Amino acid sequence: MRIGILTGGGDCPGLNAAIRAVVKRGTSEHGCSIVGFRNGWQGVIDGDARPLTRDDVSGILVEGGTMLGTARCHPHKVPGGMEAVIDTIANEKLDGLICIGGDGTLKAAGKVSEAAGVPVIGIPKTIDNDVVGTDAAIGFDTAVTVATEAIDRLHSTAESHNRVMVVELMGRHSGWIAVTAGMAGGADIILAPEAPFDIEVIAKKIKHRHRYKNFSIVAVAEGAIPAEGTMWHGGATLDERGNPIAGSIGTEVTKHIEELTGFSTRLTTLGYVQRGGIPTAADRLLATRFGIAAIDAIVRGESHKFTAIQGEHIVLEDFQTMSGKTKWVPQELLEAAWDL
Amino acid sequence: MRIGILTGGGDCPGLNAAIRAVVKRGTSEHGCSIVGFRNGWQGVIDGDARPLTRDDVSGILVEGGTMLGTARCHPHKVPGGMEAVIDTIANEKLDGLICIGGDGTLKAAGKVSEAAGVPVIGIPKTIDNDVVGTDAAIGFDTAVTVATEAIDRLHSTAESHNRVMVVELMGRHSGWIAVTAGMAGGADIILAPEAPFDIEVIAKKIKHRHRYKNFSIVAVAEGAIPAEGTMWHGGATLDERGNPIAGSIGTEVTKHIEELTGFSTRLTTLGYVQRGGIPTAADRLLATRFGIAAIDAIVRGESHKFTAIQGEHIVLEDFQTMSGKTKWVPQELLEAAWDL
Amino acid sequence: MRIGILTGGGDCPGLNAAIRAVVKRGTSEHGCSIVGFRNGWQGVIDGDARPLTRDDVSGILVEGGTMLGTARCHPHKVPGGMEAVIDTIANEKLDGLICIGGDGTLKAAGKVSEAAGVPVIGIPKTIDNDVVGTDAAIGFDTAVTVATEAIDRLHSTAESHNRVMVVELMGRHSGWIAVTAGMAGGADIILAPEAPFDIEVIAKKIKHRHRYKNFSIVAVAEGAIPAEGTMWHGGATLDERGNPIAGSIGTEVTKHIEELTGFSTRLTTLGYVQRGGIPTAADRLLATRFGIAAIDAIVRGESHKFTAIQGEHIVLEDFQTMSGKTKWVPQELLEAAWDL
Amino acid sequence: MRIGILTGGGDCPGLNAAIRAVVKRGTSEHGCSIVGFRNGWQGVIDGDARPLTRDDVSGILVEGGTMLGTARCHPHKVPGGMEAVIDTIANEKLDGLICIGGDGTLKAAGKVSEAAGVPVIGIPKTIDNDVVGTDAAIGFDTAVTVATEAIDRLHSTAESHNRVMVVELMGRHSGWIAVTAGMAGGADIILAPEAPFDIEVIAKKIKHRHRYKNFSIVAVAEGAIPAEGTMWHGGATLDERGNPIAGSIGTEVTKHIEELTGFSTRLTTLGYVQRGGIPTAADRLLATRFGIAAIDAIVRGESHKFTAIQGEHIVLEDFQTMSGKTKWVPQELLEAAWDL
């Protein structure tokens, strides 16, 4: 069998580990040929493919990013895109396609599968962890680890200078990184899209805390939203696709806290370091298990499914399970974050 | 309510995070007084207790080990132990006891609960991850992270010197650290107690690999066992309690591989660094969630249960679920480890 | 003897290690009493002092920031400041004062010494590493380490997305962090205050590189300056004290590179994480050696000197050596950075 | 010009950074062709050479070990070795040779230079840091960093279990790693070859300390030596070359401390992780500067010299400076280590 593989959407740590697992398991165990496409769906449109051997994936387990490159491209939104994709799949004589990506990448995979009559299996990756149907997606554990280390570092400056330190973390639609890294890093206030905030209430909490402590840490998801009807509900500035612009909500929160509390307040916008670099052990393991499950599934004829971890087990879920949905931070975890 | 807390058995990263969560949630949310015992059950026997306030637990989230100290002491095995424990619980006017530990600590908790008529809730911790009923125990993620970093470091020396590097990892009864860190670190051979090994087969695999690669990494759990009837089945040297002595199986495996393959082979016994130091973000989060769930449970009158994580949810499981059992590495994961 | 100690200016990793060394060596070896002042010179003005014992400094070796707190306060610029300082020194019966800080803190120390007739010894700390007379100041190695790790993480995203990644690093007046972390992290372009840049030349270099590579990393010191007469020489926006505002030069550089090259370009402003958290081994060692040398010097009657490392040796230098000067990145190092 | 390059002796982090700098600077700045030899002098004997281009060294900056491989081989001790080396140098038409290694590698370089009439420049690397003439050699900073992190991790277990933790660190002939990592990690006792120890004095110090503290950390260099005439002066077990066998002195020290103090005492032998893995920022920078200086030197006709760092400057020193000598830990540093 000839199996194609691509990575789509934003990059994150662990993509290479998944590619490696597909190639090693696919070639050794199943006798497959693996074909890698450059830059996500763009490479399928362009026919930019190359065979991947065990040698090609040697040593990439620990490397961040993706050796295949990635791009935000959806073939059904590009004129002539679907036709080009069908041609490439025919030319490459593919018996299946493994797509590593988020919701957008897998949605495209579903359409391609139907149009080209080729089975597809998805592997979910997103540092935002908002994929329904799986406990975790590739990249999340590393992002939380990097964010937690940053909060650890900010603690000492906050305490030494009697300051409020605001740290804006990734998370446009859900607050997984802010909530979990905030809890792990001992943040005193955590703002996530799941629970719109009242800046005056936040300021009061900080003032109360500063009666017995001289510093505070505030973790803010980039998609956090001020509640309707509160003193300030400007929210984050949005880009043309409706996504918050990095730093914008953090800047506002920082300014308002300083004004309302009178305490010296500083912002750190962590940015791209959250999605790059060496994957954690947990992400390497998850990506490896997903890669194995994906190639095994496609070889035995499955399609329209994505690999998922549920408790200790790797399972397959229908594309339907995640499609168009967002996995929110559960109420129990949000409350735990607030109560400490 | 007055709630006691202790940590028993071997220390590991995340214990302080759990203590902190119990104290912060217990005092702020439930108005409890929290009483900490020094050195596990020994402190209860000796009446070595002190009140724990929010100030006492400030800053300990990131610290390894346990601020309470720990010891391997079982009150029912100490002459007069149970009587002393009952006295202390009466003197301290405890309404409940939270015990952070492994199987031994929680077994003692069950006996104490019955004898003293006081509710007990357990929080599972063990870097070995072999507790039935929970996806993970406190300390495991950090141990895997440390072990994986060590394997990463050994890779470069193995490759530069054309060597076989053997690394012995913790895991007396199950191979969780060896299997997961081995996979995450790209070990070529992984030996775990779950699957007795034939040293001649291992040597053959290494020789085969060295036709196209010039080095190999072998991850060995300290409790790994040679198969019956194989050329060598000496196994690890055991201490008086029947547990393998650190380094002993690694030493044997190293010697036999060098003899059978002729390749220069070196051993690293990682040892205590696996169980110490700053907990990972995942361990801090798990410990915090366990601490919150434990104090909530005891306040609402539960007993004989331990906190567990199953998928994304924190639940309570009966002591029965784990008692006297070992959670093995599942077959799927063992096979994944071998096939790469 | 009674010796006072304070930390002034911005905090950084290693301050606690220096305090610990002064206290341990001072009390054990010299029989001194050590008195710590809160928040730099502000604490001396306010008489906010407390005795420091070996117990007080136990465990702080690995902690970032300063247990004493710090503030940007100069007693000679505060009305009544010098009088208050002289009073406090008399009240506390101090025989000497150890001041850990940058140029500003030590300048104040010189004035206080003359006014109060008390010997002072300085310990240089600054992540910017621009103190003349010493190979290194406390905090620099940690800042470079954090910045290098960030550049490592940005590499994978740059490569996966075919992007130019700009990272703005600390360094208002000199480019030590940008140059050394840039070299250690493999940055392709490094912009430092020591060598004003022409943005068109930079853009040309990037375009040239992208003929055979698909990404670039640009490391920019926050005080980097466009050359006079070049197409763009707006420079960084300055605050009221004439210091560049974080992110401002990075934002401009990013915008211009994207416009001039047409390549997708993204900015990361690393910010406060560079000056917080666990000190590296090298910073802990340097701070410990400085602390020992400082207390030894003051006990044997030295004054107006600061501890310095020159090659392998700790020496004392006159305040004059550093006063009002900036240690620039040497030409050899700048050229090395450009040529790779 | 055609310049050969090799790495000899034990591997360490930073070798690849040095190779990269030589290749990038040599090809771009000087128009040289660079030829890499596999496995140190063995590769020169065997004529196992290959051209190195900028592409070959892309991405290796952060990688531990050496892409060229290394071996402990001295051509003048191999029958026909010198003749083979002379032949290879002639066949490859080399105008110079850059040798990265320790004392043994550079001694061989001197002999080869005389026999073959080709200039040689050395780059010193050794995690032991015992090269006379340079403040630091490649690999030392990373080894100290890894060792310090290990001591940090052992602290929590020592404290939680009221134990003495002994950690044996590398350093056969000098105690640089033990002394500096011991100080940076807050070890309570440090044993180095520079100062033979009396185990009874050590035990007394530990007993004294345990009156007010419940744990101790003992850092032991593998080459540490008991003093003549003391109760125990067995020392480390030596291998056939007279070097201490890993773990042997640590085992003895552990046993004697437990017997003499009665405190539970445990050994960790850190081993190979000290010499592998990602180099620190400082090691990458040092290696890069050394690589640049070495290629510059050989191009302008220098020979029989090695690159050295003295304070902030890279200089060249004669082979004579280091030959057959050991740089000891200076007395000031030893005393600082003892007094804390």
Side-chain angles (χ1 to χ4, degrees):
Chain A
M1 293 177 75
R2 285 176 64 82
I3 308 295
I5 185 167
L6 62 83
T7 50
D11 76 315
C12 70
L15 297 176
N16 280 325
I19 296 167
R20 170 182 175 269
V22 168
V23 171
K24 292 187 97 171
R25 175 85 161 197
T27 54
S28 301
E29 201 73 8
H30 299 301
C32 297
S33 301
I34 310 292
V35 176
F37 291 99
R38 290 276 310 160
N39 299 332
W41 290 110
Q42 191 62 53
V44 192
I45 292 174
D46 299 344
D48 188 356
R50 62 165 171 137
L52 294 177
T53 66
R54 290 178 70 98
D55 267 6
D56 293 322
V57 298
S58 178
I60 68 170
L61 174 62
V62 303
E63 287 176 15
T66 161
M67 65 174 291
L68 292 174
T70 184
R72 298 184 192 275
C73 161
H74 302 109
H76 52 288
K77 296 185 182 167
V78 177
M82 290 303 279
E83 293 74 11
V85 162
I86 293 170
D87 280 1
T88 298
I89 288 173
N91 291 342
E92 292 286 342
K93 300 190 172 54
L94 296 185
D95 302 301
L97 197 53
I98 292 174
C99 302
I100 313 177
D103 193 18
T105 305
L106 299 199
K107 197 170 286 171
K111 291 184 198 295
V112 165
S113 176
E114 278 144 36
V118 69
V120 292
I121 292 290
I123 295 179
K125 70 89 217 159
T126 164
I127 61 165
D128 290 344
N129 200 37
D130 54 3
V131 178
V132 175
T134 182
D135 295 347
I138 297 174
F140 175 59
D141 188 70
T142 306
V144 172
T145 297
V146 172
T148 301
E149 283 173 9
I151 298 177
D152 285 354
R153 290 200 176 275
L154 296 177
H155 256 288
S156 49
T157 291
E159 196 163 358
S160 299
H161 284 275
N162 312 315
R163 270 182 193 155
V164 179
M165 296 296 273
V166 177
V167 56
E168 188 189 293
L169 302 171
M170 284 186 166
R172 287 173 176 176
H173 308 298
S174 70
W176 282 98
I177 296 178
V179 171
T180 55
M183 285 180 73
D188 304 296
I189 304 279
I190 297 172
L191 306 180
E194 283 83 351
F197 63 89
D198 181 337
I199 193 72
E200 291 196 297
V201 173
I202 301 303
K204 249 179 229 160
K205 280 193 186 172
I206 291 172
K207 282 166 86 168
H208 178 77
R209 178 179 152 87
H210 283 231
R211 284 186 211 150
Y212 54 97
K213 286 280 183 183
N214 70 339
F215 72 99
S216 294
I217 305 281
V218 181
V220 187
E222 61 186 338
I225 307 160
E228 287 289 323
T230 60
M231 192 202 79
W232 166 66
H233 51 119
T237 309
L238 305 183
D239 66 15
E240 70 277 14
R241 296 193 304 183
N243 288 320
I245 288 176
S248 74
I249 186 75
T251 303
E252 290 298 320
V253 165
T254 302
K255 195 181 72 182
H256 284 80
I257 288 177
E258 187 157 271
E259 282 173 15
L260 291 169
T261 65
F263 301 133
S264 169
T265 307
R266 294 286 187 280
L267 171 66
T268 298
T269 304
L270 206 52
Y272 292 96
V273 294
Q274 293 165 84
R275 63 184 322 125
I278 298 182
T280 57
D283 263 332
R284 295 187 211 171
L285 184 65
L286 182 68
T288 300
R289 294 174 78 184
F290 275 2
I292 291 171
I295 186 76
D296 285 1
I298 212 151
V299 163
R300 68 172 182 265
E302 310 250 20
S303 186
H304 279 69
K305 291 183 177 162
F306 65 94
T307 59
I309 185 160
Q310 294 174 358
E312 293 176 337
H313 301 289
I314 305 294
V315 298
L316 294 175
E317 287 278 344
D318 269 17
F319 278 0
Q320 285 302 102
T321 308
M322 70 144 81
S323 183
K325 293 170 208 154
T326 298
K327 184 177 74 170
W328 309 105
V329 178
Q331 197 62 18
E332 170 248 321
L333 200 48
L334 284 175
E335 284 172 13
W338 294 328
D339 288 340
L340 284 188
Chain B
M1 292 177 75
R2 285 176 63 81
I3 308 295
I5 185 167
L6 63 84
T7 50
D11 77 316
C12 70
L15 298 176
N16 280 325
I19 295 167
R20 170 181 174 270
V22 166
V23 171
K24 291 187 98 172
R25 174 85 163 197
T27 53
S28 302
E29 201 72 9
H30 299 300
C32 297
S33 301
I34 310 292
V35 176
F37 291 99
R38 290 276 312 158
N39 299 332
W41 290 110
Q42 190 62 53
V44 191
I45 293 174
D46 299 344
D48 188 356
R50 61 163 171 142
L52 293 178
T53 67
R54 288 177 73 96
D55 267 6
D56 293 322
V57 299
S58 178
I60 68 169
L61 175 62
V62 302
E63 286 177 15
T66 162
M67 65 175 290
L68 293 174
T70 184
R72 298 186 192 276
C73 161
H74 301 108
H76 52 286
K77 295 185 183 168
V78 178
M82 288 304 278
E83 293 74 12
V85 163
I86 294 169
D87 280 0
T88 297
I89 288 172
N91 291 343
E92 292 286 341
K93 298 189 173 55
L94 296 185
D95 301 303
L97 197 53
I98 292 175
C99 302
I100 311 176
D103 193 20
T105 304
L106 298 198
K107 197 169 283 171
K111 290 184 197 296
V112 165
S113 176
E114 278 145 35
V118 68
V120 291
I121 292 289
I123 295 179
K125 68 87 215 160
T126 164
I127 61 166
D128 289 345
N129 200 37
D130 54 2
V131 177
V132 175
T134 183
D135 295 348
I138 297 173
F140 175 58
D141 188 70
T142 307
V144 172
T145 296
V146 172
T148 301
E149 283 173 10
I151 297 176
D152 284 354
R153 291 202 176 275
L154 297 177
H155 257 286
S156 49
T157 292
E159 197 163 356
S160 300
H161 284 277
N162 312 314
R163 269 182 193 155
V164 179
M165 297 295 274
V166 177
V167 55
E168 188 190 295
L169 301 170
M170 284 185 167
R172 287 176 175 173
H173 308 299
S174 69
W176 283 96
I177 296 178
V179 170
T180 57
M183 284 181 73
D188 305 295
I189 305 278
I190 298 173
L191 306 180
E194 282 84 351
F197 64 88
D198 181 336
I199 193 71
E200 291 197 299
V201 172
I202 300 305
K204 251 179 226 160
K205 281 193 185 171
I206 292 171
K207 283 166 85 169
H208 178 77
R209 177 179 152 88
H210 283 231
R211 283 186 211 152
Y212 54 98
K213 287 277 183 185
N214 70 340
F215 72 98
S216 294
I217 305 282
V218 181
V220 187
E222 61 186 339
I225 307 160
E228 287 289 325
T230 60
M231 192 203 81
W232 166 65
H233 52 122
T237 308
L238 305 182
D239 66 15
E240 69 277 14
R241 295 193 304 182
N243 289 320
I245 289 174
S248 73
I249 186 74
T251 304
E252 290 298 318
V253 164
T254 302
K255 196 181 71 182
H256 283 80
I257 289 177
E258 187 157 271
E259 282 173 14
L260 291 169
T261 65
F263 302 133
S264 169
T265 307
R266 295 286 187 280
L267 172 66
T268 298
T269 303
L270 206 52
Y272 291 96
V273 295
Q274 291 165 86
R275 63 185 322 128
I278 298 181
T280 57
D283 264 332
R284 296 187 211 170
L285 184 66
L286 182 68
T288 299
R289 293 174 78 183
F290 275 0
I292 290 171
I295 186 78
D296 285 1
I298 212 154
V299 162
R300 67 171 183 266
E302 309 250 20
S303 184
H304 278 69
K305 291 182 177 161
F306 65 95
T307 59
I309 185 160
Q310 293 174 359
E312 292 176 338
H313 301 290
I314 304 294
V315 298
L316 294 174
E317 285 279 344
D318 270 16
F319 279 180
Q320 286 303 102
T321 309
M322 70 145 80
S323 182
K325 294 170 207 153
T326 298
K327 184 177 74 168
W328 308 106
V329 178
Q331 196 62 19
E332 171 248 322
L333 200 48
L334 284 175
E335 284 172 12
W338 294 328
D339 288 341
L340 285 188
Chain C
M1 292 176 76
R2 285 175 65 81
I3 308 295
I5 185 168
L6 63 83
T7 50
D11 76 316
C12 71
L15 298 176
N16 280 325
I19 296 168
R20 170 181 175 270
V22 167
V23 172
K24 291 186 97 170
R25 175 84 163 197
T27 53
S28 301
E29 200 72 8
H30 299 300
C32 297
S33 300
I34 310 292
V35 176
F37 291 99
R38 290 275 312 158
N39 300 332
W41 290 111
Q42 190 63 53
V44 191
I45 292 174
D46 300 344
D48 188 356
R50 63 166 170 135
L52 294 177
T53 66
R54 290 178 72 95
D55 266 6
D56 293 321
V57 299
S58 177
I60 69 169
L61 174 62
V62 302
E63 288 177 14
T66 160
M67 65 174 293
L68 292 174
T70 184
R72 297 184 192 276
C73 162
H74 301 110
H76 52 287
K77 296 185 183 167
V78 177
M82 288 304 279
E83 294 73 11
V85 162
I86 293 169
D87 279 1
T88 298
I89 288 171
N91 290 342
E92 292 287 342
K93 300 189 172 56
L94 295 186
D95 302 302
L97 196 52
I98 292 174
C99 303
I100 313 176
D103 194 19
T105 304
L106 299 199
K107 197 169 286 173
K111 291 186 195 298
V112 166
S113 176
E114 278 144 36
V118 69
V120 291
I121 292 290
I123 296 178
K125 68 88 216 160
T126 164
I127 63 165
D128 289 345
N129 201 36
D130 54 3
V131 178
V132 175
T134 183
D135 294 348
I138 297 174
F140 175 59
D141 188 71
T142 307
V144 172
T145 297
V146 172
T148 302
E149 282 173 10
I151 298 176
D152 284 353
R153 291 201 175 274
L154 296 177
H155 257 286
S156 49
T157 291
E159 196 162 0
S160 299
H161 284 276
N162 312 315
R163 270 183 192 152
V164 180
M165 296 296 274
V166 177
V167 55
E168 188 189 294
L169 301 171
M170 284 184 165
R172 287 174 175 174
H173 308 298
S174 70
W176 283 96
I177 296 178
V179 171
T180 56
M183 285 182 72
D188 305 296
I189 305 279
I190 297 173
L191 305 180
E194 282 83 351
F197 64 89
D198 180 337
I199 193 72
E200 291 195 301
V201 173
I202 302 303
K204 249 178 230 162
K205 280 193 185 170
I206 292 172
K207 282 165 86 169
H208 178 77
R209 176 179 153 87
H210 283 230
R211 284 185 211 152
Y212 53 98
K213 286 279 184 184
N214 69 339
F215 72 97
S216 294
I217 305 281
V218 181
V220 187
E222 61 186 339
I225 307 160
E228 286 290 325
T230 60
M231 193 204 78
W232 166 65
H233 51 118
T237 309
L238 305 182
D239 65 15
E240 70 275 16
R241 296 192 304 183
N243 288 320
I245 289 175
S248 74
I249 186 73
T251 303
E252 290 299 319
V253 165
T254 302
K255 196 181 70 183
H256 284 80
I257 289 177
E258 187 157 272
E259 282 173 16
L260 292 169
T261 65
F263 301 133
S264 169
T265 307
R266 295 285 188 281
L267 172 66
T268 298
T269 303
L270 206 52
Y272 292 97
V273 295
Q274 291 163 86
R275 63 185 319 127
I278 298 181
T280 57
D283 263 333
R284 295 187 210 170
L285 183 66
L286 182 68
T288 299
R289 294 175 77 184
F290 275 1
I292 291 171
I295 186 77
D296 286 1
I298 212 153
V299 163
R300 69 172 180 264
E302 309 251 19
S303 186
H304 278 69
K305 291 183 177 162
F306 65 94
T307 58
I309 184 159
Q310 292 174 359
E312 293 177 336
H313 301 289
I314 304 294
V315 299
L316 293 175
E317 286 279 343
D318 269 16
F319 278 179
Q320 286 301 102
T321 309
M322 70 145 82
S323 183
K325 294 170 208 153
T326 299
K327 185 178 74 169
W328 308 106
V329 178
Q331 197 61 17
E332 170 248 323
L333 200 48
L334 284 175
E335 284 172 13
W338 294 328
D339 288 341
L340 284 189
Chain D
M1 293 177 76
R2 285 176 64 81
I3 309 294
I5 185 167
L6 63 84
T7 49
D11 76 317
C12 70
L15 297 176
N16 280 326
I19 296 167
R20 171 182 175 268
V22 167
V23 172
K24 292 187 99 173
R25 175 86 163 195
T27 54
S28 301
E29 201 72 9
H30 300 301
C32 296
S33 300
I34 310 292
V35 176
F37 291 99
R38 289 277 311 159
N39 299 331
W41 290 110
Q42 190 64 52
V44 191
I45 293 174
D46 299 344
D48 188 356
R50 61 164 171 138
L52 293 177
T53 67
R54 288 177 73 96
D55 266 6
D56 293 322
V57 299
S58 177
I60 68 169
L61 175 62
V62 303
E63 286 177 15
T66 161
M67 66 175 291
L68 292 174
T70 185
R72 298 185 192 276
C73 161
H74 301 109
H76 52 287
K77 295 185 183 168
V78 177
M82 289 306 278
E83 293 74 12
V85 162
I86 293 169
D87 279 1
T88 298
I89 288 171
N91 291 342
E92 293 286 342
K93 300 189 171 52
L94 296 184
D95 302 302
L97 197 53
I98 293 175
C99 303
I100 312 176
D103 193 19
T105 305
L106 299 198
K107 196 169 286 172
K111 291 185 196 295
V112 165
S113 177
E114 279 145 35
V118 69
V120 291
I121 293 289
I123 296 179
K125 66 89 217 160
T126 163
I127 61 166
D128 289 345
N129 200 37
D130 54 3
V131 177
V132 175
T134 183
D135 295 348
I138 298 174
F140 175 58
D141 188 71
T142 306
V144 172
T145 297
V146 172
T148 301
E149 282 173 11
I151 297 176
D152 285 353
R153 291 201 175 276
L154 296 177
H155 257 287
S156 49
T157 291
E159 197 163 358
S160 300
H161 284 276
N162 312 315
R163 270 182 193 154
V164 179
M165 296 294 273
V166 177
V167 55
E168 188 190 293
L169 301 170
M170 284 185 166
R172 286 174 176 175
H173 308 297
S174 70
W176 283 97
I177 296 178
V179 170
T180 56
M183 284 181 73
D188 305 295
I189 304 279
I190 298 173
L191 306 181
E194 283 84 351
F197 64 89
D198 180 336
I199 193 71
E200 291 196 300
V201 173
I202 301 304
K204 249 180 228 161
K205 281 193 185 171
I206 292 172
K207 283 166 86 170
H208 178 77
R209 177 179 152 87
H210 283 233
R211 284 185 210 152
Y212 54 97
K213 285 279 184 185
N214 70 340
F215 72 97
S216 295
I217 304 281
V218 181
V220 187
E222 61 186 340
I225 307 160
E228 287 290 323
T230 60
M231 191 202 80
W232 166 64
H233 52 118
T237 308
L238 306 182
D239 66 15
E240 70 277 14
R241 296 193 304 182
N243 288 320
I245 289 175
S248 75
I249 187 75
T251 304
E252 290 299 317
V253 165
T254 302
K255 196 181 71 182
H256 284 80
I257 288 176
E258 187 157 274
E259 282 173 14
L260 291 169
T261 65
F263 301 133
S264 168
T265 307
R266 294 286 187 279
L267 171 66
T268 298
T269 303
L270 206 51
Y272 291 96
V273 294
Q274 291 165 87
R275 62 184 322 127
I278 298 181
T280 57
D283 263 332
R284 295 187 211 171
L285 184 66
L286 182 68
T288 299
R289 294 174 77 184
F290 276 0
I292 290 171
I295 186 76
D296 285 0
I298 212 152
V299 163
R300 68 171 182 265
E302 309 250 21
S303 185
H304 278 70
K305 290 182 177 164
F306 65 94
T307 59
I309 184 159
Q310 293 173 358
E312 292 177 337
H313 301 290
I314 304 294
V315 299
L316 294 175
E317 287 279 344
D318 270 16
F319 279 180
Q320 286 302 102
T321 309
M322 70 145 81
S323 183
K325 295 170 206 152
T326 299
K327 184 177 75 168
W328 308 106
V329 178
Q331 196 63 18
E332 171 248 323
L333 199 48
L334 284 175
E335 284 171 13
W338 294 328
D339 288 340
L340 285 189

